[in-house]
Amino acid sequence: MSTLRILRDLLRYNGEFAVGLMLVLIVLAVAGCSFFSPYPPMDVYVVPPDVPPSWEYPLGTTSRGQDVFWQLTFAIRNTLLFGIVVAALSRVISLLVGLISGYKGGWVDRILMSINDTFVVVPLFPILVLFYFIMRDEMTWAMLAIITALLGWAYDARLIRSIAMSLRTREFTRQAVFSGMSTGKIVFQEHLPFVLPIVFSTTMNNINWSIGIEVTLSVLGFTDINTPTIGGMIYWANQHTAMVSGIWWWITFPILLVIMLFIGLFLLAISMNEYIDPRSRLSRLGGQA
Amino acid sequence: MRAYLAYLSKRLVQFAVVVFVGINITYLVTHMTPINPVEQSISAATTYGATSPEAIEMMRQSLRQLYGLEGTPWEQYVAFWKRVLVGDFGPSLSAFPTPVSQLILRALPWTVGLLLVSTLLTWILGNLLGGLAGYYRNSRILKAFGVLSMGIHPIPYYVVAFVLLIIFGFLWPVLPISGGATMASDRSNTFAFALDVVVHSILPVLSLMAVGIGGWFMGMRALVSNIVTEDYVVYAELAGVKRGKILRSYVMRNALGPQVTGLALQLGAIFNGAIITEQVFGYPGVGSLLISAVHAGDYSLVLGITTVSIVAVSATVLLIDLLYPLIDPRVEAR
Amino acid sequence: MIAELRSIPSSDVVKAPQAVPLLSVDGLKAYYKVKLFGIDREVRAVDDVSLKINRNEIYGLAGESSSGKTSLIKTIAGAIRPPLRVVEGSVRFAFKDGERDVYKLSPHELSAIRWSHLSYIMQGSMSVLNPVRRIKHAFADFALPHVSAKGGDFTSLVERHLKRLHLDPAVLQAYPHELSGGMRQRVTIALATICSPEFIIADEPTTALDVIVQKGVLSMIREIQQEFGSSVLFVTHDMAVHANLTDRLGIMYAGRLVEEGRTRDVFKRPLHPYTAHLISSLPRIGDEAPKKGLEGSPPSLADPPPGCRFHPRCPLAIDICRREAPPMVEILPGHRTACHVAQADPARVRPVA
């Protein structure tokens, strides 16, 4: 089935996919607005501070004299960028580990899975905190992205591995091997279409996870606070005791937007998962598998 | 029995690997920076008051060993491990001269209590409701609950905790939003104290549960939907076995296995969530301790907490793994 | 397995049809209705089937994989779920304690007759037992509600039943995965017969078993039937098993019953071209002629051919076969067939090869 047809079917019959896509598109649109911002992102006191949402400033202004809306566009753009970069990097590792482990089997598989499980079990947050502690001001976004990717591949690698394992034993694989197809060709031509959907849904989940890490770390002040990010906005709002002062718009809008993003990506991920599993697809059509 | 012993030894080896690799990662991370955290920490700690030269020297000594500055790289590594294995992280810099282990031990019960209660409640409730939802597919209440719990699930712990803080801190202040128990309370009356603790834990527990329950619900519901089509369930229904019995003994029993494994896998993530939730609600557990240690530049405390977290979580996972064969007798045959 | 027709024992005379058959299926129609991405589809799994099964009789049901056999027996057992629904017809049992119309019973009444009056041996012995509980619990779950003996008495009852079927009672303490496939199948049969049901449905109980184990299972079923006097509806595509075990035989094709009669009669003198083909494909000692396969494949049950469903592949098809579906008519005593050609001239029906 062509990709376009799959998308059309998903949109029509899968409410979750439609809602998820809509939410993500809204967030992307907001991020896109950042390119039209009249104010540079890091500048402060460019507008009168603490103005509630009004016609002139639709989402209000912060205590630091920034327009909440324009600040938000940059914040979500940076946060999203971080999430996407981490997800991309960790896909590479997940795919490598998962596919090699799934295909080779034997002791290679066992060793890789042992390491994999280590990364799954070990609580990553304290390690990230430790990392920040050591690096302090030397820590750049790039470094944080790299180390988060290095820590966050494990869960997805396992999923990819199980798909690889089931593909390895299937009839058409045996046929391909028998007919002399090289392993590389088999993986890319025959198997990739099966692996891609799971990669897609794990990417969505991974983006959620890494953005969650970013928000949490930034809120604690453990990242480069001067770059506007969602977590950063909340951090500054807390520093200026926004809630207590009644400047609710400074916190509420970033939180709302990021919740939209989380739920949107999540819905995309689970609707893709459901689509892959033929039984759940069948039960949607009024039958019982 | 022999099969179980083989299983046990495999799991123990995995536990050792996890702890070993985890602590090594910690060691590696601490060596990533060119700056010397020892001197940095000492100068940060000593700016606040007069500390005797012997105390400073003791600090420096333990920090150098912990950081691994003495001797060759190999000797550094060995010295580090020696200290870690004994659990001696030296004195805390922010609460000098209290040893780090003591601080951790004081905070640990709070975290353990919080985690135990919230994880068990979330897991049991989530699985129960998810199982029912998978079996009784037409129940509207269950469907509504599903939408709600799955809506909150993707939101990170911090955001949920913060939202709850706002709601109960500002809009509807009926629950305490910080502390493990009321300050300067009379701890001799155990029942009153216990009640106080429980009341203070409501918000953190609620926060953790709100995020976690959706995951278990979804997983269990999917599992049960699949199990319901399995031959042994269909057969039992054909035989006229009562629905309740089928749900309990045939469906749930078979779904528990993967969910227990899932619990072991999620424990790290749940722990992460607990750290940040403690911070938001000022709950005096290991999480808050970690964050304040970072702000105070207390290197030994941060290192100590990280190491203890790794060991504690791995040990809990090991425990869960060891209990698994009780649920699924097939695992011995694997 | 070599086809050997067993000699008709004199007890055959005793097995003459009685006044009220144990099972009466009348004009049964059960269809799957599916909406697939906007397209409505109706799969006619069971299309107007009528048959009767008497007491103390083994009735075989034969046919290819997509003939609708499994749907039919599931419908008879009252064990179908949407999207499969009964559209027309009835299934009635005449048990010793009263008549039951399966599709007029309340769910409570339906589960009351299960296992005590009507039991089911499912296909695939591999996974019908709960993997996380010991076998003894299966017996307790399935049989205890229907039996007056409780506790220790019940256990002795089960053990006696097992011993009677040449099974070691120690099997009760085992987990399903600890037993071999053949063993599990025999335990399942013991489980299905513990309440001495009047009617047993056996769905491909010997498929996926090797020949030696098959023999054991078949003799077990025969023993049970003789000892308890139950009726057995035995479904399998293996004609040799039918030849060895069943008293009467029904042939299904594309959701319809096309022939039915005493097993011996059907084998010696098939009255439907499809049956003729099935039988001729069995190897016989000394027969060296090459076997010819039937052309084409069974029709799709969603869009079956008009008239007789077999006509596209039938070597004897005539014009009327393409237009009108042949009714099931008794041509010889106790021997029915649904074929225009046979109804015109029974002698013309010959095997294909």
Coordinates of all heavy atoms in Angstrom, one line a residue, chain A residues 130-198:
Chain A
L130 N 24.1 14.5 37.4 CA 25.5 14.5 37.7 C 26.3 15.1 36.5 O 27.3 15.8 36.8 CB 26.0 13.0 37.9 CG 27.4 12.8 38.3 CD1 27.7 13.3 39.6 CD2 27.7 11.3 38.2
F131 N 25.9 14.8 35.3 CA 26.6 15.4 34.2 C 26.5 16.9 34.2 O 27.5 17.6 34.0 CB 25.9 14.8 32.9 CG 26.5 15.3 31.6 CD1 27.8 14.9 31.3 CD2 25.8 16.2 30.8 CE1 28.4 15.4 30.1 CE2 26.4 16.6 29.6 CZ 27.7 16.2 29.3
Y132 N 25.3 17.4 34.5 CA 25.2 18.9 34.6 C 26.1 19.4 35.7 O 26.8 20.4 35.6 CB 23.8 19.3 34.9 CG 23.7 20.7 35.3 CD1 23.9 21.8 34.5 CD2 23.5 21.0 36.7 CE1 23.9 23.1 34.9 CE2 23.5 22.3 37.1 CZ 23.7 23.3 36.2 OH 23.6 24.6 36.7
F133 N 26.1 18.7 36.8 CA 26.9 19.1 38.0 C 28.4 19.2 37.6 O 29.1 20.2 38.0 CB 26.7 18.1 39.1 CG 27.4 18.4 40.4 CD1 26.9 19.3 41.3 CD2 28.7 17.9 40.6 CE1 27.5 19.6 42.4 CE2 29.4 18.3 41.8 CZ 28.8 19.1 42.7
I134 N 28.8 18.3 36.8 CA 30.3 18.3 36.5 C 30.5 19.4 35.5 O 31.5 20.1 35.6 CB 30.7 16.9 35.9 CG1 30.4 15.8 36.9 CG2 32.1 16.9 35.4 CD1 31.4 15.9 38.1
M135 N 29.7 19.5 34.5 CA 30.0 20.4 33.4 C 29.6 21.8 33.7 O 30.2 22.7 33.2 CB 29.2 20.0 32.2 CG 29.4 18.6 31.7 SD 31.2 18.3 31.3 CE 31.3 19.3 29.9
R136 N 28.6 22.0 34.5 CA 28.1 23.4 34.9 C 28.0 24.2 33.6 O 27.2 23.9 32.7 CB 29.1 24.0 35.8 CG 29.1 23.5 37.2 CD 27.8 23.9 37.9 NE 27.7 23.2 39.2 CZ 27.0 23.6 40.2 NH1 26.2 24.7 40.1 NH2 26.9 22.9 41.3
D137 N 28.7 25.3 33.6 CA 28.4 26.3 32.6 C 29.0 25.8 31.2 O 28.8 26.5 30.2 CB 29.0 27.7 32.9 CG 28.4 28.2 34.2 OD1 27.1 28.0 34.3 OD2 29.0 28.8 35.0
E138 N 29.9 24.8 31.3 CA 30.5 24.3 30.1 C 29.5 23.6 29.2 O 29.8 23.2 28.1 CB 31.7 23.4 30.4 CG 32.6 24.0 31.4 CD 33.7 24.8 30.7 OE1 34.0 24.5 29.5 OE2 34.2 25.8 31.3
M139 N 28.4 23.2 29.8 CA 27.5 22.3 29.0 C 26.7 23.1 28.0 O 25.9 24.0 28.3 CB 26.5 21.6 30.0 CG 25.6 20.6 29.3 SD 24.8 19.6 30.5 CE 23.5 20.7 31.0
T140 N 26.8 22.6 26.8 CA 26.1 23.2 25.7 C 24.9 22.3 25.3 O 24.8 21.2 25.8 CB 26.9 23.3 24.4 OG1 27.3 22.0 24.0 CG2 28.2 24.1 24.7
W141 N 24.0 22.9 24.5 CA 22.8 22.1 24.1 C 23.3 20.9 23.3 O 22.7 19.8 23.5 CB 21.9 22.9 23.3 CG 21.1 23.9 24.1 CD1 21.2 25.2 24.2 CD2 20.0 23.5 25.0 NE1 20.4 25.7 25.1 CE2 19.6 24.7 25.6 CE3 19.4 22.3 25.4 CZ2 18.6 24.7 26.6 CZ3 18.4 22.3 26.3 CH2 18.0 23.5 26.9
A142 N 24.3 21.1 22.5 CA 24.8 19.9 21.7 C 25.2 18.8 22.6 O 24.9 17.6 22.4 CB 25.9 20.4 20.8
M143 N 26.0 19.1 23.6 CA 26.5 18.1 24.5 C 25.3 17.4 25.2 O 25.3 16.2 25.3 CB 27.4 18.7 25.6 CG 28.7 19.2 25.1 SD 29.6 19.9 26.4 CE 30.4 18.4 27.0
L144 N 24.4 18.2 25.7 CA 23.2 17.6 26.4 C 22.5 16.7 25.4 O 22.1 15.6 25.8 CB 22.3 18.7 26.9 CG 21.2 18.2 27.8 CD1 21.7 17.5 29.0 CD2 20.2 19.3 28.1
A145 N 22.3 17.1 24.2 CA 21.6 16.3 23.2 C 22.3 15.0 23.0 O 21.7 13.9 23.0 CB 21.5 17.0 21.9
I146 N 23.7 15.1 22.9 CA 24.4 13.9 22.6 C 24.3 12.9 23.7 O 24.1 11.7 23.6 CB 25.9 14.2 22.3 CG1 26.0 15.0 21.0 CG2 26.7 12.9 22.2 CD1 27.4 15.4 20.6
I147 N 24.5 13.4 25.0 CA 24.5 12.5 26.1 C 23.1 11.9 26.3 O 23.0 10.8 26.7 CB 25.2 13.1 27.3 CG1 25.5 12.0 28.3 CG2 24.2 14.0 28.0 CD1 26.5 12.4 29.3
T148 N 22.1 12.7 26.1 CA 20.7 12.2 26.2 C 20.5 11.1 25.2 O 19.9 10.1 25.5 CB 19.7 13.3 26.1 OG1 20.1 14.4 26.9 CG2 18.3 12.8 26.5
A149 N 21.0 11.3 24.0 CA 20.8 10.3 23.0 C 21.5 9.0 23.4 O 21.0 7.9 23.2 CB 21.3 10.8 21.6
L150 N 22.7 9.2 23.9 CA 23.5 8.0 24.3 C 22.9 7.3 25.4 O 23.2 6.1 25.7 CB 24.9 8.5 24.8 CG 25.9 8.9 23.6 CD1 27.2 9.4 24.2 CD2 26.2 7.6 22.8
L151 N 22.0 7.9 26.2 CA 21.3 7.2 27.2 C 19.9 6.7 26.9 O 19.4 5.8 27.5 CB 21.2 8.1 28.5 CG 22.5 8.6 29.1 CD1 22.2 9.5 30.3 CD2 23.2 7.4 29.7
G152 N 19.3 7.2 25.8 CA 17.9 6.9 25.6 C 17.5 6.0 24.5 O 16.4 5.9 24.1
W153 N 18.5 5.2 24.1 CA 18.2 4.3 22.9 C 17.7 2.9 23.3 O 17.1 2.2 22.5 CB 19.5 4.1 22.1 CG 20.6 3.7 22.8 CD1 21.6 4.5 23.4 CD2 21.0 2.3 23.2 NE1 22.5 3.7 24.1 CE2 22.2 2.4 23.9 CE3 20.5 1.1 22.9 CZ2 22.8 1.3 24.4 CZ3 21.1 0.0 23.3 CH2 22.3 0.1 24.1
A154 N 17.9 2.6 24.6 CA 17.8 1.2 25.0 C 16.4 0.6 24.8 O 16.2 -0.5 24.3 CB 18.2 1.0 26.4
Y155 N 15.4 1.3 25.3 CA 14.0 0.7 25.3 C 13.6 0.4 23.9 O 13.0 -0.6 23.6 CB 13.1 1.8 25.9 CG 11.8 1.2 26.4 CD1 11.7 0.5 27.5 CD2 10.6 1.4 25.6 CE1 10.5 -0.1 27.9 CE2 9.4 0.9 26.0 CZ 9.3 0.1 27.2 OH 8.1 -0.4 27.6
D156 N 13.9 1.3 22.9 CA 13.4 1.2 21.6 C 14.2 0.1 20.9 O 13.7 -0.6 20.0 CB 13.5 2.5 20.8 CG 12.7 3.6 21.5 OD1 11.7 3.2 22.1 OD2 13.0 4.7 21.3
A157 N 15.5 -0.1 21.2 CA 16.3 -1.1 20.6 C 15.7 -2.4 20.8 O 15.7 -3.3 19.9 CB 17.8 -1.0 21.2
R158 N 15.2 -2.7 22.0 CA 14.6 -3.9 22.3 C 13.4 -4.2 21.4 O 13.2 -5.3 20.9 CB 14.1 -3.9 23.7 CG 14.4 -5.2 24.4 CD 14.1 -5.3 25.8 NE 15.2 -6.0 26.5 CZ 15.3 -7.3 26.5 NH1 14.4 -8.0 25.9 NH2 16.3 -7.9 27.1
L159 N 12.5 -3.2 21.1 CA 11.4 -3.4 20.3 C 11.8 -3.7 18.9 O 11.3 -4.6 18.2 CB 10.5 -2.1 20.3 CG 9.8 -1.8 21.6 CD1 9.2 -0.4 21.5 CD2 8.7 -2.8 21.8
I160 N 12.8 -3.0 18.4 CA 13.3 -3.2 17.0 C 13.9 -4.6 16.9 O 13.7 -5.3 15.9 CB 14.4 -2.2 16.6 CG1 13.7 -0.8 16.6 CG2 15.0 -2.5 15.3 CD1 14.6 0.3 16.2
R161 N 14.6 -5.0 18.0 CA 15.2 -6.4 18.0 C 14.1 -7.4 17.8 O 14.3 -8.4 17.1 CB 16.0 -6.6 19.2 CG 16.3 -8.0 19.5 CD 16.9 -8.1 20.9 NE 17.2 -9.5 21.3 CZ 16.5 -10.1 22.1 NH1 15.4 -9.6 22.6 NH2 16.8 -11.4 22.4
S162 N 13.0 -7.3 18.5 CA 12.0 -8.3 18.5 C 11.4 -8.4 17.1 O 11.0 -9.5 16.6 CB 10.9 -8.2 19.5 OG 10.3 -6.9 19.5
I163 N 11.2 -7.3 16.4 CA 10.7 -7.3 15.1 C 11.7 -8.0 14.2 O 11.4 -8.8 13.3 CB 10.4 -5.9 14.5 CG1 9.4 -5.2 15.4 CG2 10.1 -5.9 13.1 CD1 8.2 -4.8 14.6
A164 N 13.0 -7.6 14.3 CA 14.0 -8.2 13.5 C 14.1 -9.7 13.7 O 14.2 -10.5 12.7 CB 15.4 -7.6 13.9
M165 N 13.9 -10.2 14.9 CA 13.9 -11.6 15.2 C 12.8 -12.3 14.5 O 12.9 -13.4 13.9 CB 13.8 -11.9 16.7 CG 15.1 -11.7 17.4 SD 15.3 -12.3 19.0 CE 13.7 -12.2 19.7
S166 N 11.6 -11.7 14.6 CA 10.5 -12.4 13.9 C 10.6 -12.4 12.4 O 10.2 -13.3 11.7 CB 9.1 -11.7 14.4 OG 9.0 -10.5 13.7
L167 N 11.2 -11.3 11.9 CA 11.4 -11.2 10.4 C 12.4 -12.3 10.0 O 12.2 -12.9 8.9 CB 11.9 -9.9 10.0 CG 10.8 -8.8 10.0 CD1 11.4 -7.4 9.7 CD2 9.7 -9.1 9.0
R168 N 13.4 -12.5 10.8 CA 14.4 -13.4 10.4 C 13.9 -14.8 10.1 O 14.4 -15.5 9.2 CB 15.5 -13.4 11.5 CG 16.7 -14.3 11.2 CD 17.7 -14.1 12.2 NE 17.2 -14.6 13.5 CZ 17.9 -15.0 14.5 NH1 19.2 -15.1 14.3 NH2 17.4 -15.4 15.6
T169 N 12.9 -15.2 10.9 CA 12.4 -16.6 10.7 C 11.3 -16.7 9.7 O 10.7 -17.8 9.5 CB 12.0 -17.1 12.1 OG1 11.0 -16.2 12.6 CG2 13.1 -17.3 13.0
R170 N 10.9 -15.6 9.1 CA 9.7 -15.7 8.3 C 10.1 -16.3 6.9 O 11.2 -16.2 6.5 CB 9.1 -14.3 8.0 CG 8.4 -13.9 9.2 CD 7.0 -13.5 8.9 NE 6.6 -12.2 9.5 CZ 5.8 -11.3 8.9 NH1 5.2 -11.6 7.8 NH2 5.6 -10.2 9.5
E171 N 9.1 -16.8 6.3 CA 9.3 -17.5 5.0 C 10.0 -16.7 4.0 O 10.9 -17.2 3.3 CB 7.9 -18.0 4.4 CG 7.4 -19.3 5.0 CD 8.5 -20.4 4.8 OE1 9.0 -20.5 3.8 OE2 8.7 -21.0 5.8
F172 N 9.6 -15.4 3.8 CA 10.1 -14.7 2.7 C 11.6 -14.4 2.9 O 12.3 -14.2 1.9 CB 9.3 -13.5 2.3 CG 9.4 -12.4 3.4 CD1 10.3 -11.4 3.2 CD2 8.5 -12.3 4.4 CE1 10.4 -10.4 4.2 CE2 8.5 -11.3 5.3 CZ 9.5 -10.3 5.2
T173 N 12.0 -14.3 4.2 CA 13.4 -14.1 4.4 C 14.2 -15.3 4.0 O 15.3 -15.2 3.3 CB 13.7 -13.8 5.9 OG1 12.8 -12.8 6.3 CG2 15.1 -13.4 6.2
R174 N 13.7 -16.5 4.4 CA 14.4 -17.7 4.0 C 14.6 -17.7 2.5 O 15.6 -18.1 1.9 CB 13.7 -18.9 4.5 CG 13.9 -19.1 6.0 CD 13.6 -20.6 6.3 NE 12.4 -20.6 7.2 CZ 12.6 -20.9 8.5 NH1 13.7 -21.2 9.0 NH2 11.5 -20.9 9.3
Q175 N 13.5 -17.4 1.8 CA 13.5 -17.4 0.3 C 14.6 -16.4 -0.2 O 15.4 -16.8 -1.1 CB 12.2 -17.0 -0.2 CG 11.2 -18.1 -0.4 CD 10.0 -17.7 -1.1 OE1 9.4 -16.7 -0.7 NE2 9.5 -18.4 -2.1
A176 N 14.6 -15.3 0.4 CA 15.6 -14.3 -0.1 C 17.0 -14.8 0.1 O 17.9 -14.7 -0.7 CB 15.4 -12.9 0.6
V177 N 17.3 -15.3 1.3 CA 18.6 -15.8 1.6 C 19.0 -16.9 0.6 O 20.1 -17.0 0.1 CB 18.7 -16.3 3.1 CG1 20.0 -17.0 3.3 CG2 18.5 -15.2 4.0
F178 N 18.0 -17.8 0.4 CA 18.2 -18.9 -0.5 C 18.5 -18.5 -1.9 O 19.3 -19.1 -2.6 CB 16.9 -19.7 -0.5 CG 17.2 -21.2 -0.6 CD1 17.9 -21.8 0.4 CD2 16.7 -22.0 -1.6 CE1 18.1 -23.2 0.3 CE2 16.9 -23.3 -1.7 CZ 17.6 -23.9 -0.7
S179 N 17.9 -17.4 -2.3 CA 18.1 -17.0 -3.7 C 19.3 -16.1 -3.8 O 19.6 -15.6 -4.8 CB 16.9 -16.1 -4.2 OG 16.8 -15.0 -3.4
G180 N 20.1 -16.0 -2.7 CA 21.4 -15.4 -2.7 C 21.4 -13.9 -2.5 O 22.4 -13.3 -2.8
M181 N 20.4 -13.4 -1.9 CA 20.4 -11.9 -1.7 C 21.3 -11.6 -0.6 O 21.4 -12.3 0.4 CB 19.0 -11.5 -1.2 CG 18.3 -10.4 -2.1 SD 16.7 -10.1 -1.4 CE 16.3 -8.6 -2.3
S182 N 22.1 -10.5 -0.7 CA 23.0 -10.2 0.4 C 22.2 -9.6 1.6 O 21.1 -9.1 1.4 CB 24.0 -9.1 -0.1 OG 23.3 -7.9 -0.2
T183 N 22.9 -9.8 2.7 CA 22.2 -9.4 4.0 C 21.8 -7.9 3.9 O 20.6 -7.6 4.3 CB 23.1 -9.6 5.2 OG1 23.8 -10.8 5.0 CG2 22.3 -9.7 6.5
G184 N 22.6 -7.1 3.4 CA 22.3 -5.7 3.4 C 21.1 -5.4 2.6 O 20.2 -4.7 3.0
K185 N 21.0 -6.1 1.4 CA 19.9 -5.9 0.5 C 18.6 -6.4 1.2 O 17.6 -5.8 1.1 CB 20.1 -6.7 -0.8 CG 20.1 -5.7 -2.0 CD 20.4 -6.5 -3.3 CE 19.6 -5.9 -4.4 NZ 19.5 -6.7 -5.6
I186 N 18.7 -7.5 1.9 CA 17.5 -8.1 2.5 C 17.0 -7.1 3.5 O 15.8 -6.8 3.6 CB 17.9 -9.4 3.3 CG1 18.3 -10.5 2.2 CG2 16.7 -9.9 4.1 CD1 18.6 -11.8 2.9
V187 N 17.9 -6.6 4.3 CA 17.5 -5.7 5.4 C 16.9 -4.4 4.8 O 15.8 -4.0 5.2 CB 18.7 -5.2 6.3 CG1 18.3 -4.1 7.2 CG2 19.3 -6.4 7.0
F188 N 17.5 -3.9 3.8 CA 16.9 -2.6 3.3 C 15.7 -2.7 2.4 O 14.8 -1.9 2.4 CB 18.0 -1.8 2.6 CG 18.9 -1.1 3.6 CD1 20.2 -1.6 3.9 CD2 18.4 0.0 4.3 CE1 21.0 -0.9 4.8 CE2 19.2 0.6 5.3 CZ 20.5 0.1 5.5
Q189 N 15.7 -3.8 1.6 CA 14.6 -3.9 0.6 C 13.4 -4.6 1.2 O 12.3 -4.2 1.1 CB 15.1 -4.6 -0.6 CG 15.2 -3.7 -1.8 CD 15.7 -4.4 -3.0 OE1 16.9 -4.5 -3.2 NE2 14.8 -5.1 -3.7
E190 N 13.7 -5.8 1.9 CA 12.6 -6.6 2.3 C 12.1 -6.2 3.7 O 10.9 -6.2 3.9 CB 13.0 -8.1 2.3 CG 13.6 -8.6 1.0 CD 12.5 -8.8 0.0 OE1 11.3 -9.1 0.4 OE2 12.7 -8.6 -1.2
H191 N 13.0 -5.9 4.6 CA 12.6 -5.8 5.9 C 12.2 -4.4 6.4 O 11.4 -4.2 7.3 CB 13.7 -6.4 6.9 CG 13.8 -7.8 6.8 ND1 14.7 -8.6 7.5 CD2 13.0 -8.7 6.1 CE1 14.6 -9.9 7.2 NE2 13.5 -10.0 6.4
L192 N 12.8 -3.4 5.8 CA 12.6 -2.1 6.2 C 11.2 -1.7 6.3 O 10.8 -1.0 7.3 CB 13.4 -1.1 5.3 CG 14.0 0.1 6.1 CD1 14.8 -0.3 7.3 CD2 14.8 1.0 5.1
P193 N 10.4 -2.0 5.3 CA 8.9 -1.7 5.4 C 8.3 -2.2 6.7 O 7.3 -1.6 7.2 CB 8.3 -2.3 4.2 CG 9.4 -2.5 3.2 CD 10.6 -2.7 4.0
F194 N 8.8 -3.3 7.2 CA 8.1 -3.7 8.5 C 8.7 -3.0 9.7 O 8.0 -2.8 10.7 CB 8.4 -5.2 8.7 CG 7.7 -6.1 7.7 CD1 8.2 -6.5 6.5 CD2 6.4 -6.5 8.0 CE1 7.5 -7.3 5.6 CE2 5.7 -7.3 7.2 CZ 6.2 -7.7 6.0
V195 N 9.9 -2.6 9.6 CA 10.6 -2.0 10.7 C 10.2 -0.5 10.8 O 10.1 0.0 11.9 CB 12.1 -2.1 10.6 CG1 12.8 -1.4 11.7 CG2 12.5 -3.6 10.6
L196 N 9.9 0.1 9.7 CA 9.6 1.5 9.7 C 8.5 2.0 10.6 O 8.6 2.9 11.3 CB 9.4 2.1 8.3 CG 10.7 2.4 7.5 CD1 10.4 2.9 6.1 CD2 11.5 3.4 8.3
P197 N 7.3 1.3 10.6 CA 6.3 1.7 11.4 C 6.6 1.8 12.9 O 6.3 2.7 13.6 CB 5.1 0.7 11.2 CG 5.4 0.1 9.9 CD 6.9 0.1 9.7
I198 N 7.4 0.7 13.3 CA 7.7 0.7 14.8 C 8.8 1.8 15.0 O 8.8 2.5 16.1 CB 8.3 -0.6 15.2 CG1 8.3 -0.7 16.7 CG2 9.7 -0.9 14.8 CD1 7.2 -1.6 17.3

